[in-house]
Amino acid sequence: MASKRPATTATTALLGVLGIVGTVACSASSGESAAGTTPASAPVSVSAPISAAERESGPGAPGIGDPDFPTDGNGGYDVGRYRLRLDYEPSSRHLSGTARIEARATQPLTGFNLDLSGFTVRRVTVDGRPARFDRSGTELTVTPATPVRNGASFAVEVTYAGEPKPVRGSSNLGTYGFIPTRDGAFVTCQPNGAKTWFPGNDHPSDKARYDFSITVPAGLTALANGELVGTPRTTNGRTTFQWRENHPMASYLATMTLGRFEMRQGRTPGGLKNLAAVDPKYRGELQHLYDTSGRVTDHWSTLFGPYPFSSTGGVVDDFPAGYALENQTKPMYGGFAPDDSIIAHELAHQWFGDSLSIKRWRDLWLNEGFATYAEWLWSEHEGRATAEQLFRRNHSAAADDPIWSYAPGRARADDLFNNSVYTRGGMTLHALRQRIGDPAFFRLLREWAAEHRYGNVTTPQFIALAERISGRDLDALFDAWLFTPRKPTAW
């Protein structure tokens, strides 16, 4: 996320250097029973008898295992694809949807949880058969008619409706999730806001592919990840847009941002599909967003390796979020016109954060430190301040500056987007570059992105790769920059 960090003292100084202004980066049903069927094409994978041991294994865990976010995500299964059919009416703020979740059991399942906040759940089926379900907080607990065997593929369908409610007032996160706007919705979900508009496994360690069918009043545009499938169809005053993201994606990167937009579509100079969209208030920024997104994407492709997705671009909406989010293939800029440094940050995330995603939130510096350092590399590429100059300006902060008391290698759940995760995370990479030299450093970035393309990573994995490529023991460097709550004096 660019720039979800608040403009604290150190950040404000850096933003001044880079010329960035105005940003840093219904009641639920309970205990209902469901009835009905799904289409005959739903896979039926539980046909063999279930052993007594499997029946006794119980449901999947209500959390995926991230100790800092213990209720996020769910255990016992891995999602392969979400198929979301969504209908939204901005005037009433009413969303109705059917989510089909195609998954594989990673243990014998007598039941499992999905993350869902609010809404009335009307019906749940598993492999086309009615399933029992209960609600508790943001957990939707599903009990299938027949237990699911370990390793079996299965499909869940959830029909639900209500008014989406974003997450508000969270510590240094502001408002996120499904955010209604005057003409539609601004949808940015980091870290765990996907559950505000569809049921799923809401944690980045379970990535999946997505199909979206979004129906809105005629005259509005619905934007989602990936590429548009076919031509939007209008019937009885409502238009349906179908989008598909065929590359694995973390749930917090999914979007269905909608409203009135002016768009430009084409290809980058390197030949990649490029789509830029802006609220009419920002029509003067459309060309800059389109051109800069294309130039930045092509440049990062030469530095970080091939672009991992099938399209690039960005969206500026008229919601004063004051931050941007690297939604996969379509970064979102909330209520401001992004300059090229912010665009560079968000598009670097397509490699570091989107294709290569963290396995646990404490390793967030692997997203934000990398994207911040990419801002510095872009500045250098454009003939402005070099990465070395920006590093030294930030390192000149006094020893009692708050950035030094927050060790970025373990992001805190109650202060996830602290400036240290961004700036000190970026400084860690520059200190590493100085230690191992440019050839090894830029080889490391390319191999890191290639080896873990579409996968999930942790900090120890990055340290191990850096030591393998450089042939050096780097424990002291990483300990000083990532894990020690004081200012590093040597590197």
Side-chain angles (χ1 to χ4, degrees):
M1 174 167 290
S3 322
K4 199 154 193 171
R5 61 193 186 277
T8 55
T9 303
T11 306
T12 303
L14 177 59
L15 298 183
V17 171
L18 297 180
I20 300 170
V21 180
T23 178
V24 248
C26 99
S27 61
S29 58
S30 176
E32 295 183 57
S33 295
T37 59
T38 52
S41 59
V44 178
S45 57
V46 187
S47 55
I50 304 295
S51 70
E54 288 177 317
R55 288 184 181 278
E56 292 172 1
S57 64
I64 208 165
D66 188 329
D68 299 307
F69 290 81
T71 64
D72 284 3
N74 306 281
Y77 63 92
D78 179 72
V79 181
R81 186 179 290 274
Y82 292 92
R83 302 184 189 273
L84 305 177
R85 299 195 302 274
L86 305 159
D87 189 302
Y88 186 65
E89 177 51 64
S91 62
S92 62
R93 297 187 173 185
H94 185 269
L95 174 69
S96 59
T98 298
R100 177 181 170 88
I101 303 152
E102 299 172 359
R104 180 183 58 84
T106 57
Q107 67 175 69
L109 287 173
T110 57
F112 53 89
N113 284 25
L114 298 168
D115 299 305
L116 183 65
S117 178
F119 299 104
T120 296
V121 176
R122 305 189 185 284
R123 178 169 169 261
V124 178
T125 66
V126 176
D127 289 339
R129 302 177 65 184
R132 291 187 294 110
F133 58 92
D134 296 294
R135 304 295 301 277
S136 178
T138 61
E139 298 289 341
L140 169 62
T141 302
V142 179
T143 305
T146 307
V148 181
R149 297 180 67 92
N150 184 24
S153 296
F154 65 100
V156 188
E157 279 204 3
V158 181
T159 302
Y160 61 102
E163 180 181 346
K165 300 287 189 180
V167 179
R168 299 183 185 275
S170 183
S171 174
N172 86 359
L173 301 178
T175 300
Y176 64 94
F178 190 107
I179 306 169
T181 63
R182 57 181 177 77
D183 63 351
F186 179 75
V187 183
T188 52
C189 297
Q190 192 177 29
N192 52 9
K195 62 177 173 284
T196 65
W197 59 287
F198 68 93
N201 205 6
D202 196 8
H203 190 275
S205 60
D206 188 3
K207 300 167 72 170
R209 294 166 172 81
Y210 284 73
D211 287 277
F212 306 86
S213 176
I214 306 171
T215 301
V216 295
L220 301 186
T221 298
L223 299 165
N225 312 87
E227 292 75 54
L228 195 63
V229 179
T231 302
R233 303 184 313 276
T234 300
T235 305
N236 299 324
R238 301 188 70 77
T239 303
T240 299
F241 296 80
Q242 293 185 312
W243 295 87
R244 176 173 296 149
E245 175 49 276
N246 248 344
H247 300 92
M249 180 169 71
S251 56
Y252 77 86
L253 299 169
T255 189
M256 61 169 287
T257 291
L258 56 101
R260 299 190 183 276
F261 290 101
E262 298 186 10
M263 294 195 294
R264 176 162 181 195
Q265 300 182 65
R267 292 185 180 271
T268 72
L272 185 70
K273 288 181 180 179
N274 186 10
L275 183 154
V278 300
D279 181 277
K281 178 179 177 180
Y282 296 95
R283 60 170 52 93
E285 301 298 324
L286 179 59
Q287 192 65 43
H288 173 260
L289 178 63
Y290 178 84
D291 290 343
T292 305
S293 297
R295 288 197 304 119
V296 169
T297 301
D298 286 350
H299 179 62
W300 289 156
S301 297
T302 68
L303 206 60
F304 304 146
Y307 184 68
F309 308 120
S310 302
S311 62
T312 188
V315 180
V316 179
D317 201 2
D318 186 23
F319 173 75
Y323 60 77
L325 179 64
E326 62 272 17
N327 290 4
Q328 193 158 305
T329 73
K330 290 180 182 63
M332 297 285 162
Y333 305 95
F336 67 96
D339 76 356
D340 60 350
S341 293
I342 289 291
I343 294 171
H345 182 117
E346 299 308 322
L347 290 174
H349 272 310
Q350 305 303 304
W351 283 262
F352 306 111
D354 294 10
S355 173
L356 177 159
S357 303
I358 53 176
K359 192 175 294 184
R360 56 195 188 185
W361 283 111
R362 67 178 60 178
D363 292 321
L364 185 61
W365 86 276
L366 290 171
N367 293 5
E368 302 304 348
F370 277 64
T372 298
Y373 195 62
E375 291 184 49
W376 302 356
L377 294 175
W378 181 256
S379 174
E380 187 172 301
H381 173 71
E382 292 290 282
R384 300 194 295 266
T386 66
E388 174 71 13
Q389 290 170 328
L390 294 169
F391 171 85
R392 291 193 176 277
R393 289 174 190 174
N394 281 280
H395 191 260
S396 68
D400 61 351
D401 190 288
I403 193 174
W404 307 124
S405 63
Y406 187 121
R410 194 188 189 290
R412 305 172 193 167
D414 62 347
D415 193 11
L416 195 60
F417 297 97
N418 186 282
N419 180 43
S420 177
V421 176
Y422 291 74
T423 304
R424 189 168 165 182
M427 295 174 74
T428 300
L429 292 175
H430 193 73
L432 176 63
R433 178 182 176 184
Q434 291 177 318
R435 175 70 61 84
I436 68 178
D438 278 12
F441 178 76
F442 287 103
R443 176 189 165 196
L444 170 63
L445 295 187
R446 289 189 295 271
E447 291 198 16
W448 178 240
E451 286 187 12
H452 301 285
R453 191 175 173 94
Y454 311 130
N456 293 86
V457 294
T458 63
T459 297
Q461 288 176 295
F462 179 71
I463 294 173
L465 182 62
E467 292 185 330
R468 178 170 66 79
I469 287 177
S470 67
R472 295 170 178 252
D473 183 339
L474 299 169
D475 285 351
L477 182 147
F478 284 110
D479 183 64
W481 281 98
L482 292 180
F483 302 113
T484 302
R486 62 175 178 269
K487 181 177 181 177
T489 57
W491 53 89

